[in-house]
Amino acid sequence: MRFYGYFRSSAAYRCRIAFNLKGIAPEFLPVHLRRGGGEQFQGAYGALNPQHLVPALEVDGQILTQSLAIIEWLEETRPEPALLPKDPFERAHARAFALAIAAEIHPLNNLRVLGYLKGTLGHDQASVDTWYRHWVDEGLAACEALATRNGHGRFLFGDTPGLADICLVPQLYNARRFQCDLSGLPRLLAVEAAAGEHPAFAAAHPDRQPDAEP
């Protein structure tokens, strides 16, 4: 099992947490998203993942892409510990929360979108940062409401971490990098604090990765 990622990629961060929760340690191959115009566009990796995104997981002759698809594959092939609640409604709520981040907030603010805004469209860094904060603020406010209405327990959907928490923690990490205001998110911040005490989340932190940079 070989995992291609980048220390600061929130999508790769999600997968690292899931691997740790499942007790799996794949071989890590770094793909630097900025060096030389982006290693995701170069050579073998460009052929490996036609989307030129991280992460990718190479296992049993298959190439899996998209973080949530990788995590769902892990859940289906290694079901313990479970990353989704048993109750069908709670499972749907957990998936909806995860998608609110992975399919709504993150795509508007990933590296290629920010690069297009600044490079091709000519926006200055202040405008790009304003764009980023707008979508994060709006998206996380909705996530706070979802977590308050549907969630319970120490983590978002119970007393053990799961898919929703896996998506939340990297998004909050990125929000802080862009100085987003998180003061109106008490439920999300409480869950983040609980995750910070869990070894699977701590070991997945970007600062602790072999390709981490200042």
Side-chain angles (χ1 to χ4, degrees):
M1 190 180 292
R2 308 173 80 189
F3 179 67
Y4 299 82
Y6 178 60
F7 77 107
R8 204 171 273 156
S9 160
S10 61
Y13 192 173
R14 295 171 201 148
C15 290
R16 293 196 301 266
I17 298 169
F19 288 136
N20 293 343
L21 287 170
K22 296 289 189 180
I24 299 168
E27 178 187 359
F28 174 62
L29 291 88
V31 180
H32 200 293
L33 300 187
R34 294 184 177 274
R35 183 181 298 137
E39 292 177 356
Q40 69 272 29
F41 299 109
Q42 301 168 10
Y45 190 78
L48 191 77
N49 185 353
Q51 286 189 288
H52 306 288
L53 300 170
V54 295
L57 182 68
E58 188 175 0
V59 55
D60 296 337
Q62 299 285 332
I63 306 298
L64 305 181
T65 61
Q66 292 291 335
S67 62
L68 292 194
I70 291 170
I71 294 167
E72 290 272 8
W73 176 83
L74 284 171
E75 182 74 349
E76 291 167 0
T77 58
R78 294 157 175 82
E80 296 298 332
L83 300 180
L84 287 165
K86 292 182 179 180
D87 178 81
F89 283 111
E90 287 201 359
R91 290 170 77 90
H93 290 319
R95 284 190 169 108
F97 186 98
L99 288 167
I101 291 175
E104 301 290 343
I105 302 174
H106 178 236
L108 291 168
N109 291 313
N110 68 12
L111 182 61
R112 62 179 179 173
V113 170
L114 300 182
Y116 186 80
L117 288 170
K118 189 173 181 180
T120 304
L121 298 185
H123 292 284
D124 61 20
Q125 189 62 52
S127 297
V128 172
D129 290 349
T130 298
W131 165 281
Y132 186 101
R133 294 188 192 106
H134 169 78
W135 296 114
V136 169
D137 291 346
E138 182 178 284
L140 288 181
C143 286
E144 175 74 13
L146 290 171
T148 303
R149 184 181 71 187
N150 300 324
H152 61 88
R154 188 163 180 253
F155 291 92
L156 285 166
F157 294 94
D159 291 323
T160 57
L163 178 65
D165 312 283
I166 285 169
C167 289
L168 172 65
V169 169
Q171 185 60 64
L172 291 177
Y173 167 82
N174 277 349
R176 286 193 173 86
R177 288 181 55 223
F178 283 81
Q179 291 80 51
C180 296
D181 181 7
L182 305 179
S183 60
L185 309 172
R187 171 65 175 154
L188 301 188
L189 294 179
V191 170
E192 182 192 38
E197 298 174 358
H198 196 295
F201 286 81
H205 193 279
D207 292 347
R208 299 186 63 179
Q209 304 317 302
D211 59 330
E213 298 173 350

